[in-house]
Amino acid sequence: MSLLTIHDPHAPPRPIGIDLGTTHSTVAYVSPFGEPVPIVGCSGSPLLPSVVHYAADGSVLVGEKAKELAVDFPEDTIVSVKRFMGRSLGEVEKEALPYRLAKGDKTDIVRFELSSGRLVTPVEVSAEILRTLVKDAQKVLGRVGGAVITVPAYFDDAQRQATKDAARLAGIEVLRLLNEPTSAAIAYGLDKEVQGTFAVFDLGGGTFDLTILVLEDGVFHVKATGGDTQIGGDDIDRAIAQQMRKAMRRENLPRRVERYLLDQARWLKHALSEVEEAEVLLELDECIKFALSRTLLEEDIAPLLERMARIVRQALRDAELEAKQIDGVVLVGGATRVPAVRRLAAKLFGKQPLTDIDPDLVVAMGAAIQADVMAGNASRDILLLDVLPLSLGIEAMGGVVERILPRNTPIPASASQLFTTHVDGQSGFEIHVVQGERELAKDCRSLARFTLKGIPPMPAGMPRLEVRFEVDADGILHVSAKEQRTGIEQKIEVHPTYGLDEATIQRMLEEADHTAKADLEARALIESRVEAERITKATRKALEEDGHLLAQEEKETIEAALNELEQALKENASRHVIEEKKEKLAQLTASFAEKRINLALRRSLEGKHLRELESN
């Protein structure tokens, strides 16, 4: 039985922490005694099922009551909505889902089409869950202040922004978006007063995150993070459901049956965490007894486990640590109760994971502590140093990427870089913001494009464009571009159209490793071509202006070398050939350059002497 807090109606609003989870969501607060306390809802549990049902009469049910209607009304009951946040229709429609997804919208936004014809977005569904959590908190605390809401560490800008939009729809002031592994570390670190280097192994219903961080005197310094926003307990359920389909010898099933199989699969998953073999009776057109062993399940999910292992190994490399240097492994998320997952964590780090705090509640408890700190109520300070999961930069001349904020940079962070023009008279800059580890922009994720206009025409190389990236504590990117000579400036908050799916993120990291040599060579070739084009234009211009300084034979020799370089560019010659032609032209024009400098000096001195005569 839970105790209901007797709240003072005149007390100031209390901050709360919210874990907006794939399977369950939780809200917590810090008691007057300084302890984080999960709030028990109407169902008698602090775990609110992240399920929303839209009834025919227009009413909305959230939680256990909605979950009970999922099988009978699969199209009107949205489950695991977190997996849809910040993703496009094209990314999710290929998955086996018991929903109707509306098409035809030019923005390609995911919209669930209910049986009533109403369309709802993942942001709206998430807002309903958040409203319910706040109502539960209000029953205990009275007035509720701002909230710290947790997100997977590998959520990108679009997914984070979608979470903030859902909170805004629910009427919640977001104090901060906090990465789930970091939140768990806060709860664990402050509760146990531990120090050292820890790995947070977070496997929830829809996402996997691995974060390595150092805890020391209230400072939580994230060394590296890795993750996959499309691995979770739901994927284990789907693997079991696929086995059920095989047993039934049926693939294309009605949505109602799909939801029923997923529910039965989840029950089996939980059972197999306790016993070696379990069975269910599938009551469909005919009753089918379906049995599954833990061994067979582990064979089915082996590819998922290997994907998690790769992420763990990459995070250790990024942190420049060996597994033996990790002092402890903290398990977070209900899916970490699967025995194969726990064995994987133990094997990868060479030690048994820490499980003495409920993995379903620890994230919300850490968020509550952080909310209390931000509201100025806590007795001790917490300093969080999180990091960027992927590099951020812009596309430069020739399509190469100039990284401005590298991967694993601590956030909040800011950095800037100067750029200039390549052609005379350019009056605008197009800024193409990209995310990823590849050397060429076409191989990275495009985040945004904008143009800085109104710059007075100047010779190539004269403008000075400062591009500044700023990532706030929520992980949201802001970009500004300023032409320093004129003061013309533009700022944007980058909103990628949709989030990075798992395949895209992993491909970015893996391809960056496998193709590093080829990428660098491609970049070097582009840079060599860009420089050669600049040299040929500058040399042509110099010959037009000061060709009279050369003897006819010298001029013809330079023009011949110039033609050779231009022909090499035209024929897409190798970098070696282009460099060879550039070097030949540079040697032939060295004396010409010296003559031009001397001419410029004479003209300058003549002008000075004339002004001196006029002043006398």
Side-chain angles (χ1 to χ4, degrees):
M1 178 181 295
S2 61
L3 296 177
L4 185 66
T5 302
I6 306 299
H7 53 78
D8 180 358
H10 302 293
R14 298 294 298 275
I16 55 175
I18 294 176
D19 173 13
L20 185 61
T22 305
T23 307
H24 295 98
S25 295
T26 309
V27 59
Y29 73 104
V30 173
S31 74
F33 304 103
E35 298 294 326
V37 180
I39 291 175
V40 176
C42 298
S43 64
S45 168
L47 299 178
L48 175 74
S50 299
V51 184
V52 179
H53 173 74
Y54 293 88
D57 62 3
S59 60
V60 180
L61 298 175
V62 180
E64 286 293 346
K65 292 182 179 179
K67 185 178 177 182
E68 292 169 3
L69 298 171
V71 172
D72 292 330
F73 303 94
E75 295 176 357
D76 299 324
T77 309
I78 312 302
V79 180
S80 299
V81 69
K82 187 172 180 178
R83 294 184 74 118
F84 299 89
M85 295 288 276
R87 301 178 70 202
S88 73
L89 180 62
E91 289 172 328
V92 303
E93 63 183 354
K94 297 177 183 178
E95 300 179 12
L97 302 167
Y99 309 117
R100 274 205 309 259
L101 300 178
K103 298 183 179 180
D105 186 70
K106 292 182 180 180
T107 60
D108 204 29
I109 292 174
V110 174
R111 297 173 299 164
F112 303 106
E113 184 175 351
L114 309 179
S115 57
S116 64
R118 178 183 175 185
L119 303 179
V120 294
T121 65
V123 168
E124 294 171 286
V125 177
S126 297
E128 295 290 354
I129 299 170
L130 290 170
R131 286 192 191 98
T132 301
L133 292 171
V134 170
K135 288 178 182 176
D136 288 342
Q138 288 171 336
K139 292 175 183 177
V140 175
L141 304 175
R143 300 171 62 200
V144 171
V148 169
I149 301 177
T150 62
V151 294
Y154 241 53
F155 254 24
D156 63 46
D157 286 3
Q159 292 165 307
R160 290 170 189 269
Q161 191 61 51
T163 304
K164 293 186 78 171
D165 290 343
R168 187 162 58 251
L169 278 177
I172 300 172
E173 177 194 359
V174 179
L175 299 174
R176 180 171 181 174
L177 295 182
L178 181 63
N179 287 346
E180 290 165 3
T182 308
S183 183
I186 290 173
Y188 186 85
L190 293 186
D191 181 67
K192 302 300 178 184
E193 297 184 353
V194 296
Q195 306 281 327
T197 302
F198 288 80
V200 181
F201 192 102
D202 184 355
L203 184 64
T207 60
F208 172 63
D209 283 313
L210 191 287
T211 296
I212 297 174
L213 71 168
V214 176
L215 312 184
E216 186 176 9
D217 297 328
V219 177
F220 294 74
H221 181 197
V222 176
K223 302 290 289 184
T225 189
D228 184 331
T229 59
Q230 296 303 307
I231 289 182
D234 285 359
D235 297 282
I236 300 176
D237 298 343
R238 289 176 181 175
I240 298 173
Q242 180 60 23
Q243 289 293 336
M244 292 177 176
R245 292 189 199 95
K246 288 181 181 178
M248 297 164 58
R249 297 181 180 179
R250 295 175 65 183
E251 282 295 328
N252 297 319
L253 300 170
R255 291 186 176 91
R256 179 179 178 278
V257 178
E258 288 281 6
R259 172 51 60 199
Y260 174 72
L261 292 184
L262 286 172
D263 284 353
Q264 295 301 307
R266 182 167 295 175
W267 185 90
L268 267 179
K269 177 183 67 178
H270 293 163
L272 290 174
S273 294
E274 305 294 333
V275 297
E276 292 293 332
E277 187 169 344
E279 65 179 27
V280 293
L281 188 64
L282 302 177
E283 301 179 23
L284 300 169
D285 298 337
E286 56 179 322
C287 289
I288 301 173
K289 184 180 291 186
F290 177 79
L292 185 66
S293 68
R294 185 185 291 177
T295 301
L296 183 57
L297 172 61
E298 291 178 358
E299 289 177 3
D300 278 353
I301 65 173
L304 295 176
L305 298 176
E306 178 53 33
R307 283 163 65 185
M308 286 187 272
R310 287 200 302 268
I311 291 166
V312 171
R313 289 190 285 266
Q314 181 63 52
L316 284 169
R317 286 195 294 270
D318 290 344
E320 298 180 347
L321 293 171
E322 296 181 8
K324 63 183 180 182
Q325 295 175 277
I326 303 298
D327 296 311
V329 182
V330 179
L331 292 186
V332 180
T336 58
R337 290 188 172 90
V338 174
V341 173
R342 293 200 172 188
R343 290 201 307 274
L344 175 68
K347 178 182 177 181
L348 290 170
F349 292 100
K351 52 180 63 67
Q352 288 301 315
L354 304 166
T355 59
D356 48 345
I357 299 181
D358 189 331
D360 282 319
L361 302 177
V362 66
V363 170
M365 293 166 66
I369 294 171
Q370 177 64 18
D372 204 49
V373 169
M374 296 187 73
N377 300 329
S379 59
R380 63 180 295 179
D381 291 331
I382 297 174
L383 176 61
L384 300 181
L385 299 174
D386 252 321
V387 297
L388 287 174
L390 289 168
S391 301
L392 294 165
I394 71 167
E395 180 178 357
M397 181 60 63
V400 301
V401 176
E402 289 296 337
R403 292 188 181 89
I404 295 179
L405 285 173
R407 179 164 58 107
N408 283 324
T409 297
I411 59 173
S414 66
S416 64
Q417 195 163 327
L418 284 176
F419 299 87
T420 189
T421 53
H422 179 60
V423 296
D424 293 338
Q426 188 173 330
S427 60
F429 291 88
E430 182 179 279
I431 313 298
H432 182 200
V433 183
V434 296
Q435 183 179 36
E437 307 310 312
R438 299 292 298 273
E439 294 294 331
L440 304 183
K442 67 182 180 65
D443 298 320
C444 293
R445 177 75 168 200
S446 175
L447 295 186
R449 293 178 186 267
F450 67 99
T451 303
L452 185 66
K453 299 180 179 179
I455 299 170
M458 288 184 262
M462 286 291 290
R464 290 291 182 267
L465 179 71
E466 180 185 27
V467 178
R468 175 169 291 276
F469 279 22
E470 295 181 356
V471 178
D472 61 24
D474 294 330
I476 304 296
L477 172 63
H478 305 258
V479 178
S480 64
K482 182 178 182 180
E483 204 293 305
Q484 294 185 331
R485 296 182 186 276
T486 61
I488 296 173
E489 184 175 15
Q490 184 176 344
K491 297 180 180 180
I492 66 165
E493 182 174 302
V494 174
H495 297 291
T497 309
Y498 301 105
L500 294 171
D501 60 15
E502 180 322 73
T504 303
I505 293 174
Q506 283 305 114
R507 177 175 56 78
M508 285 178 176
L509 295 177
E510 291 172 6
E511 288 182 355
D513 288 337
H514 296 322
T515 64
K517 185 176 180 180
D519 280 355
L520 289 173
E521 181 59 32
R523 180 190 180 107
L525 173 59
I526 290 173
E527 289 176 342
S528 181
R529 288 184 60 87
V530 169
E531 178 64 10
E533 289 170 358
R534 185 194 67 78
I535 290 172
T536 57
K537 290 177 182 178
T539 306
R540 287 286 181 201
K541 188 176 181 180
L543 288 173
E544 291 174 6
E545 294 177 352
D546 299 317
H548 62 278
L549 297 176
L550 298 170
Q552 185 61 29
E553 185 179 349
E554 289 180 300
K555 188 175 182 180
E556 289 175 355
T557 304
I558 290 175
E559 286 182 341
L562 189 55
N563 290 334
E564 287 181 13
L565 179 55
E566 289 174 335
Q567 188 64 25
L569 292 172
K570 185 177 180 180
E571 295 175 351
N572 294 317
S574 67
R575 184 170 67 92
H576 174 73
V577 172
I578 292 173
E579 288 296 322
E580 186 180 89
K581 303 296 184 184
K582 278 168 53 181
E583 179 62 26
K584 179 179 179 181
L585 183 61
Q587 291 176 359
L588 292 173
T589 56
S591 62
F592 180 36
E594 187 176 343
K595 290 176 181 179
R596 296 191 74 211
I597 292 172
N598 291 334
L599 176 62
L601 288 173
R602 285 199 303 272
R603 288 171 177 170
S604 175
L605 292 173
E606 287 171 0
K608 181 179 180 182
H609 294 158
L610 179 60
R611 286 193 297 273
E612 289 175 351
L613 289 172
E614 289 174 346
S615 64
N616 293 330

